[in-house]
PDB file of all heavy atoms in Angstrom:
ATOM      1  N   ARG A 142      65.897 -52.278-124.098  1.00 95.00           N
ATOM      2  CA  ARG A 142      65.953 -51.433-125.397  1.00 95.00           C
ATOM      3  C   ARG A 142      65.402 -52.332-126.509  1.00 95.00           C
ATOM      4  O   ARG A 142      65.713 -53.410-126.686  1.00 95.00           O
ATOM      5  CB  ARG A 142      67.488 -51.158-125.675  1.00 95.00           C
ATOM      6  CG  ARG A 142      67.696 -50.246-126.809  1.00 95.00           C
ATOM      7  CD  ARG A 142      69.142 -49.833-126.902  1.00 95.00           C
ATOM      8  NE  ARG A 142      69.451 -48.860-127.924  1.00 95.00           N
ATOM      9  CZ  ARG A 142      69.765 -49.153-129.246  1.00 95.00           C
ATOM     10  NH1 ARG A 142      69.798 -50.441-129.598  1.00 95.00           N
ATOM     11  NH2 ARG A 142      70.021 -48.235-130.098  1.00 95.00           N
ATOM     12  N   SER A 143      64.500 -51.625-127.218  1.00 94.00           N
ATOM     13  CA  SER A 143      63.866 -52.300-128.336  1.00 94.00           C
ATOM     14  C   SER A 143      64.801 -52.359-129.573  1.00 94.00           C
ATOM     15  O   SER A 143      65.847 -51.691-129.620  1.00 94.00           O
ATOM     16  CB  SER A 143      62.580 -51.531-128.759  1.00 94.00           C
ATOM     17  OG  SER A 143      62.898 -50.357-129.520  1.00 94.00           O
ATOM     18  N   ARG A 144      64.398 -53.139-130.535  1.00 87.00           N
ATOM     19  CA  ARG A 144      65.232 -53.327-131.706  1.00 87.00           C
ATOM     20  C   ARG A 144      65.336 -52.035-132.648  1.00 87.00           C
ATOM     21  O   ARG A 144      66.103 -51.940-133.433  1.00 87.00           O
ATOM     22  CB  ARG A 144      64.764 -54.514-132.517  1.00 87.00           C
ATOM     23  CG  ARG A 144      64.832 -55.857-131.782  1.00 87.00           C
ATOM     24  CD  ARG A 144      64.175 -57.016-132.541  1.00 87.00           C
ATOM     25  NE  ARG A 144      64.998 -57.389-133.659  1.00 87.00           N
ATOM     26  CZ  ARG A 144      65.984 -58.255-133.686  1.00 87.00           C
ATOM     27  NH1 ARG A 144      66.382 -58.757-132.572  1.00 87.00           N
ATOM     28  NH2 ARG A 144      66.550 -58.478-134.779  1.00 87.00           N
ATOM     29  N   ASN A 145      64.357 -51.104-132.357  1.00 89.00           N
ATOM     30  CA  ASN A 145      64.406 -49.869-133.119  1.00 89.00           C
ATOM     31  C   ASN A 145      65.056 -48.763-132.284  1.00 89.00           C
ATOM     32  O   ASN A 145      65.005 -47.556-132.701  1.00 89.00           O
ATOM     33  CB  ASN A 145      62.995 -49.555-133.563  1.00 89.00           C
ATOM     34  CG  ASN A 145      62.050 -49.090-132.456  1.00 89.00           C
ATOM     35  OD1 ASN A 145      62.494 -49.061-131.237  1.00 89.00           O
ATOM     36  ND2 ASN A 145      60.803 -48.919-132.713  1.00 89.00           N
ATOM     37  N   GLY A 146      65.563 -49.025-131.140  1.00 93.00           N
ATOM     38  CA  GLY A 146      66.316 -48.078-130.377  1.00 93.00           C
ATOM     39  C   GLY A 146      65.534 -47.410-129.290  1.00 93.00           C
ATOM     40  O   GLY A 146      66.102 -46.633-128.502  1.00 93.00           O
ATOM     41  N   ARG A 147      64.228 -47.661-129.164  1.00 96.00           N
ATOM     42  CA  ARG A 147      63.419 -47.003-128.095  1.00 96.00           C
ATOM     43  C   ARG A 147      63.525 -47.901-126.844  1.00 96.00           C
ATOM     44  O   ARG A 147      63.894 -49.032-126.918  1.00 96.00           O
ATOM     45  CB  ARG A 147      61.957 -46.904-128.564  1.00 96.00           C
ATOM     46  CG  ARG A 147      61.799 -45.959-129.701  1.00 96.00           C
ATOM     47  CD  ARG A 147      60.321 -45.798-130.073  1.00 96.00           C
ATOM     48  NE  ARG A 147      59.523 -45.110-129.010  1.00 96.00           N
ATOM     49  CZ  ARG A 147      58.289 -44.966-129.037  1.00 96.00           C
ATOM     50  NH1 ARG A 147      57.548 -45.478-130.040  1.00 96.00           N
ATOM     51  NH2 ARG A 147      57.601 -44.334-128.083  1.00 96.00           N
ATOM     52  N   TYR A 148      63.156 -47.290-125.712  1.00 98.00           N
ATOM     53  CA  TYR A 148      63.360 -47.923-124.450  1.00 98.00           C
ATOM     54  C   TYR A 148      62.061 -48.319-123.764  1.00 98.00           C
ATOM     55  O   TYR A 148      61.002 -47.683-123.932  1.00 98.00           O
ATOM     56  CB  TYR A 148      64.203 -47.030-123.502  1.00 98.00           C
ATOM     57  CG  TYR A 148      65.592 -46.951-123.948  1.00 98.00           C
ATOM     58  CD1 TYR A 148      66.102 -45.859-124.679  1.00 98.00           C
ATOM     59  CD2 TYR A 148      66.520 -47.939-123.584  1.00 98.00           C
ATOM     60  CE1 TYR A 148      67.403 -45.753-125.086  1.00 98.00           C
ATOM     61  CE2 TYR A 148      67.871 -47.869-123.962  1.00 98.00           C
ATOM     62  CZ  TYR A 148      68.293 -46.792-124.725  1.00 98.00           C
ATOM     63  OH  TYR A 148      69.654 -46.710-125.052  1.00 98.00           O
ATOM     64  N   TYR A 152      57.683 -46.976-123.545  1.00 98.00           N
ATOM     65  CA  TYR A 152      56.552 -47.889-123.870  1.00 98.00           C
ATOM     66  C   TYR A 152      55.716 -48.090-122.589  1.00 98.00           C
ATOM     67  O   TYR A 152      54.412 -48.114-122.678  1.00 98.00           O
ATOM     68  CB  TYR A 152      56.951 -49.217-124.382  1.00 98.00           C
ATOM     69  CG  TYR A 152      57.647 -49.200-125.728  1.00 98.00           C
ATOM     70  CD1 TYR A 152      58.893 -49.784-125.997  1.00 98.00           C
ATOM     71  CD2 TYR A 152      57.051 -48.568-126.844  1.00 98.00           C
ATOM     72  CE1 TYR A 152      59.509 -49.816-127.235  1.00 98.00           C
ATOM     73  CE2 TYR A 152      57.644 -48.551-128.081  1.00 98.00           C
ATOM     74  CZ  TYR A 152      58.871 -49.196-128.212  1.00 98.00           C
ATOM     75  OH  TYR A 152      59.474 -49.240-129.461  1.00 98.00           O
ATOM     76  N   LEU A 297      61.100 -56.924-126.023  1.00 97.00           N
ATOM     77  CA  LEU A 297      61.645 -55.935-126.896  1.00 97.00           C
ATOM     78  C   LEU A 297      62.866 -56.434-127.622  1.00 97.00           C
ATOM     79  O   LEU A 297      63.328 -55.939-128.674  1.00 97.00           O
ATOM     80  CB  LEU A 297      61.992 -54.621-126.220  1.00 97.00           C
ATOM     81  CG  LEU A 297      60.828 -53.978-125.489  1.00 97.00           C
ATOM     82  CD1 LEU A 297      61.299 -52.637-124.776  1.00 97.00           C
ATOM     83  CD2 LEU A 297      59.701 -53.668-126.389  1.00 97.00           C
ATOM     84  N   SER A 303      58.758 -56.993-130.662  1.00 96.00           N
ATOM     85  CA  SER A 303      59.169 -55.536-130.676  1.00 96.00           C
ATOM     86  C   SER A 303      58.380 -54.740-131.815  1.00 96.00           C
ATOM     87  O   SER A 303      57.989 -53.619-131.612  1.00 96.00           O
ATOM     88  CB  SER A 303      60.687 -55.506-131.046  1.00 96.00           C
ATOM     89  OG  SER A 303      61.206 -54.170-131.065  1.00 96.00           O
ATOM     90  N   ALA A 304      58.180 -55.428-132.942  1.00 96.00           N
ATOM     91  CA  ALA A 304      57.431 -54.806-134.007  1.00 96.00           C
ATOM     92  C   ALA A 304      55.969 -54.516-133.522  1.00 96.00           C
ATOM     93  O   ALA A 304      55.418 -53.472-133.829  1.00 96.00           O
ATOM     94  CB  ALA A 304      57.375 -55.721-135.298  1.00 96.00           C
ATOM     95  N   VAL A 306      54.934 -54.142-130.273  1.00 98.00           N
ATOM     96  CA  VAL A 306      54.902 -53.147-129.200  1.00 98.00           C
ATOM     97  C   VAL A 306      55.193 -51.735-129.752  1.00 98.00           C
ATOM     98  O   VAL A 306      54.660 -50.800-129.120  1.00 98.00           O
ATOM     99  CB  VAL A 306      55.924 -53.537-128.155  1.00 98.00           C
ATOM    100  CG1 VAL A 306      56.099 -52.474-127.078  1.00 98.00           C
ATOM    101  CG2 VAL A 306      55.602 -54.890-127.468  1.00 98.00           C
ATOM    102  N   ASP A 307      55.912 -51.661-130.791  1.00 97.00           N
ATOM    103  CA  ASP A 307      56.147 -50.326-131.332  1.00 97.00           C
ATOM    104  C   ASP A 307      54.970 -49.600-131.958  1.00 97.00           C
ATOM    105  O   ASP A 307      54.980 -48.476-132.241  1.00 97.00           O
ATOM    106  CB  ASP A 307      57.286 -50.483-132.416  1.00 97.00           C
ATOM    107  CG  ASP A 307      57.910 -49.112-132.752  1.00 97.00           C
ATOM    108  OD1 ASP A 307      58.263 -48.375-131.860  1.00 97.00           O
ATOM    109  OD2 ASP A 307      58.077 -48.877-133.988  1.00 97.00           O
ATOM    110  N   GLN A 308      53.935 -50.388-132.136  1.00 97.00           N
ATOM    111  CA  GLN A 308      52.658 -49.836-132.730  1.00 97.00           C
ATOM    112  C   GLN A 308      51.812 -49.286-131.701  1.00 97.00           C
ATOM    113  O   GLN A 308      51.379 -49.966-130.787  1.00 97.00           O
ATOM    114  CB  GLN A 308      51.883 -50.877-133.501  1.00 97.00           C
ATOM    115  CG  GLN A 308      52.701 -51.517-134.669  1.00 97.00           C
ATOM    116  CD  GLN A 308      51.916 -52.607-135.314  1.00 97.00           C
ATOM    117  OE1 GLN A 308      50.689 -52.585-135.463  1.00 97.00           O
ATOM    118  NE2 GLN A 308      52.594 -53.691-135.774  1.00 97.00           N
TER     119      GLN A 308
END
Side-chain angles (χ1 to χ4, degrees):
R142 187 174 184 270
S143 76
R144 297 174 69 88
N145 67 6
R147 297 182 66 185
Y148 287 98
Y152 293 129
L297 300 183
S303 183
V306 174
D307 195 48
Q308 300 176 35

